[in-house]
Amino acid sequence: MQKAIRVKALDVHYGRSRALKSVSMDIPERSVVALIGPSGCGKSTFLRCLNRMNDTVPGAKVEGDVEVDGHSVYRNGTDVVELRRQVGMVFQKPNPFPKSIRDNVLFGPRLHRRMDRAECDRVLESSLRRAAIWDEVKDRLDAPAMGLSGGQQQRLCIARALAVEPRILLMDEPCSALDPIATAKIEELIQDLKKELTVVMVTHNMQQAARASDYTGFFYLGELVEFGTTKQVFENPREKRTEDYVTGRFG
Amino acid sequence: MPEVRLMARQFHQDLDKLKDRVLEMGAKARLNVVEGVRSVVERDTELAERVILRGEELNRMDVEIERDALDLLALNQPVAQDLRTVGASLKIITYLDRIGRYGYDLAKMTKQLGAREPSGKKPVTLSLMADHAMMMLDAALSAYKDRDGAKARGVGPQDEVVDALYEQMFRTTVTTMLEDPRTITRGAHLILAARHLERCADNASKIAEKALYMATGERRLPV
């Protein structure tokens, strides 16, 4: 299978503390990867390395390499803006801009290129449809995004990320602020999205990792302890530490 | 996250209780077979009566343990070894129910044979078969109890011995029936009894397979 992302011996320091310890992972194209582990284990740090979001963290030092579609993202001359177009991100708390639904979705595409009215409408509709929220907002595209419910806001943020046509979508606990129904919608959406793109998500919800992902990585104290198919990790983990964590025997 | 750990501890205690109940059921099923066979070999109708009375008990345990196991699944969504333990337990109680049922059927046979048939030679091969099948059951349940994959692996190959004893029993009984038609009713019953014990050994092998899966995640595919 084609690899969407190859991570090789990735090391991250924040000042003097070592947040990631030589992590390597190959992520197949069009798959959903869940990253699990206790708070502070490095999974969000790992996620942020994939589109160089750690560049903006003061004192962060990244060693090792990340390849997206065969191109090293940490080599000199990488266009970080283009990288982040290809590798989009959705955060834990829905964070729509205080603008209309339309402006939220079109914000990214308009930065990248000039678009006429017809193209705007096309991108708007297809992004909202892919994020499974079109039917709920199509009659109020110019209403403020802040007026939507939490679950709708999160799907709007996904639509906003999709509008720039990324190949990879990173999600940092995308459902932790949502109720079970909104969560189910996002999980369903993730299954649709993987037909076209690769999804890497951090989650604290073990059932969600089990339900929604194809591969699971377990991080502990900055180390990738185990990475395998979700079925294997949850049915028969190879590592004792993984077993202890997923069965709640930790600590 | 103290509550999480507390909840997990409660769950693991419940899981241990589930295992204890399965082992308790195993001991009862075992007793059924041991006493069922003895009742046939010794023509002990009183003993047979006791086994028959216990029949209901195993049935009830099967239902109760299944209910508890499903509750654990519904409320805790266990994974990894915990999931395999619940899954293996659910299958094992079915095998135990069957083993206990064979003991029950042996006891029924004793009552049917009663005193009306000439008793003939004691069918000691039946006792041998029962001993061997129960040794397999003990090993399988002990592998389940201790999550011992190596012990579980050792059970299956022993099935051959019980199969061989069954063959032997079958041949000698048929010969006796040919020689003296008055022994036919008794002989037919004895062959059936031997068949029950052979099935007990098969079920013990199945239990060992589930114990192996629980301990190691390894699944034996039928050959």
Side-chain angles (χ1 to χ4, degrees):
Chain A
M1 212 184 314
Q2 246 354 67
K3 303 293 179 217
I5 303 172
R6 303 189 88 127
V7 179
K8 293 175 198 159
L10 193 66
D11 245 85
V12 178
H13 283 82
Y14 293 123
R16 282 164 62 184
S17 84
R18 195 177 175 202
L20 280 183
K21 297 171 187 168
S22 191
V23 171
S24 298
M25 186 189 287
D26 281 353
I27 297 177
E29 233 177 19
R30 295 193 183 85
S31 63
V32 179
V33 173
L35 306 178
I36 59 170
S39 299
C41 66
K43 52 197 188 309
S44 293
T45 295
F46 177 81
L47 200 69
R48 285 199 303 266
C49 285
L50 302 181
N51 68 353
R52 286 185 59 173
M53 298 279 281
N54 282 328
D55 288 12
T56 61
V57 178
K61 195 175 96 200
V62 179
E63 288 160 298
D65 199 17
V66 175
E67 278 180 13
V68 171
D69 288 327
H71 299 289
S72 167
V73 307
Y74 280 97
R75 74 175 194 285
N76 288 335
T78 297
D79 178 348
V80 179
V81 175
E82 175 58 18
L83 171 69
R84 291 183 192 145
R85 186 194 67 72
Q86 282 186 37
V87 187
M89 185 136 186
V90 175
F91 298 88
Q92 175 175 6
K93 209 164 154 269
N95 56 352
F97 304 132
K99 291 168 173 284
S100 70
I101 293 167
R102 183 193 307 274
D103 287 344
N104 263 279
V105 177
L106 295 176
F107 191 88
R110 279 172 178 156
L111 281 182
H112 287 277
R113 63 180 193 274
R114 294 194 65 81
M115 296 160 68
D116 62 20
R117 181 68 192 261
E119 196 187 358
C120 283
D121 287 347
R122 192 185 53 73
V123 170
L124 180 65
E125 179 171 345
S126 80
S127 305
L128 289 168
R129 276 192 191 282
R130 286 169 73 200
I133 190 182
W134 170 252
D135 289 337
E136 291 161 62
V137 300
K138 63 178 185 224
D139 300 323
R140 46 173 170 153
L141 294 169
D142 292 302
M146 294 302 193
L148 298 171
S149 73
Q152 289 172 329
Q153 285 186 14
Q154 191 64 308
R155 278 177 288 148
L156 176 63
C157 292
I158 294 172
R160 188 176 64 191
L162 293 175
V164 294
E165 310 259 317
R167 311 206 8 142
I168 295 163
L169 198 56
L170 310 178
M171 299 175 132
D172 198 347
E173 296 188 54
C175 302
S176 61
L178 306 182
D179 72 25
I181 295 170
T183 299
K185 281 192 180 140
I186 304 271
E187 286 176 9
E188 233 170 275
L189 170 60
I190 290 171
Q191 297 311 307
D192 278 346
L193 291 178
K194 81 167 181 185
K195 289 173 198 147
E196 308 157 43
L197 41 89
T198 308
V199 177
V200 185
M201 66 168 170
V202 164
T203 177
H204 275 295
N205 180 334
M206 224 83 77
Q207 273 80 45
Q208 176 167 66
R211 277 193 304 264
S213 71
D214 303 308
Y215 299 87
T216 295
F218 168 58
F219 283 82
Y220 186 60
L221 300 175
E223 221 181 296
L224 177 64
V225 174
E226 183 157 356
F227 182 68
T229 65
T230 296
K231 225 180 114 187
Q232 178 254 314
V233 170
F234 283 96
E235 195 178 325
N236 193 14
R238 283 188 300 268
E239 298 289 330
K240 172 100 173 43
R241 281 176 293 173
T242 315
E243 171 92 42
D244 287 348
Y245 182 71
V246 297
T247 59
R249 282 183 172 87
F250 236 58
Chain B
M1 300 187 292
E3 299 116 80
V4 174
R5 250 180 279 151
L6 206 65
M7 296 297 289
R9 199 180 309 146
Q10 180 62 49
F11 166 67
H12 290 125
Q13 281 170 4
D14 290 346
L15 197 59
D16 285 343
K17 261 186 239 158
L18 184 83
K19 274 183 79 186
D20 288 345
R21 289 280 282 160
V22 171
L23 291 168
E24 196 189 324
M25 185 177 172
K28 288 212 158 78
R30 184 186 201 286
L31 194 62
N32 264 13
V33 175
V34 169
E35 294 191 344
V37 166
R38 202 188 313 142
S39 79
V40 172
V41 174
E42 308 288 343
R43 291 292 184 93
D44 185 340
T45 47
E46 257 174 57
L47 185 60
E49 201 65 59
R50 283 213 292 280
V51 176
I52 289 164
L53 280 175
R54 235 189 347 254
E56 296 296 308
E57 214 175 323
L58 276 174
N59 239 303
R60 206 189 61 235
M61 286 188 90
D62 181 31
V63 174
E64 283 172 1
I65 295 172
E66 182 191 289
R67 185 201 56 204
D68 292 349
L70 290 176
D71 283 352
L72 285 180
L73 288 178
L75 300 179
N76 300 280
Q77 294 98 42
V79 295
Q81 199 184 72
D82 297 344
L83 175 67
R84 302 201 304 270
T85 301
V86 178
S89 302
L90 273 168
K91 294 284 285 188
I92 287 175
I93 55 172
T94 303
Y95 301 135
L96 288 177
D97 189 46
R98 285 184 194 150
I99 289 176
R101 181 75 202 186
Y102 288 125
Y104 175 89
D105 288 345
L106 287 166
K108 281 261 175 191
M109 198 177 285
T110 303
K111 293 198 68 183
Q112 277 167 20
L113 278 170
R116 66 195 162 90
E117 294 288 323
S119 55
K121 269 197 295 193
K122 265 194 193 172
V124 286
T125 311
L126 280 186
S127 304
L128 269 180
M129 285 182 78
D131 285 351
H132 210 88
M134 291 307 100
M135 202 176 75
M136 290 169 68
L137 178 64
D138 290 344
L141 287 175
S142 145
Y144 167 77
K145 178 168 171 271
D146 302 331
R147 302 179 192 284
D148 185 339
K151 195 182 270 175
R153 269 191 206 96
V155 175
Q158 304 202 43
D159 200 25
E160 281 175 28
V161 179
V162 183
D163 286 348
L165 287 169
Y166 173 64
E167 281 295 315
Q168 183 193 326
M169 177 86 191
F170 185 86
R171 267 186 281 109
T172 52
T173 311
V174 169
T175 310
T176 313
M177 289 193 290
L178 283 170
E179 283 167 359
D180 180 0
R182 286 174 305 167
T183 65
I184 285 179
T185 305
R186 175 176 177 270
H189 274 112
L190 289 182
I191 288 173
L192 196 58
R195 173 75 182 156
H196 287 347
L197 291 169
E198 191 261 324
R199 294 296 302 147
C200 283
D202 288 346
N203 279 288
S205 298
K206 288 292 207 181
I207 292 172
E209 277 170 29
K210 294 304 153 196
L212 177 67
Y213 169 67
M214 180 180 93
T216 65
E218 181 184 329
R219 277 204 186 85
R220 280 283 157 92
L221 295 173
V223 267

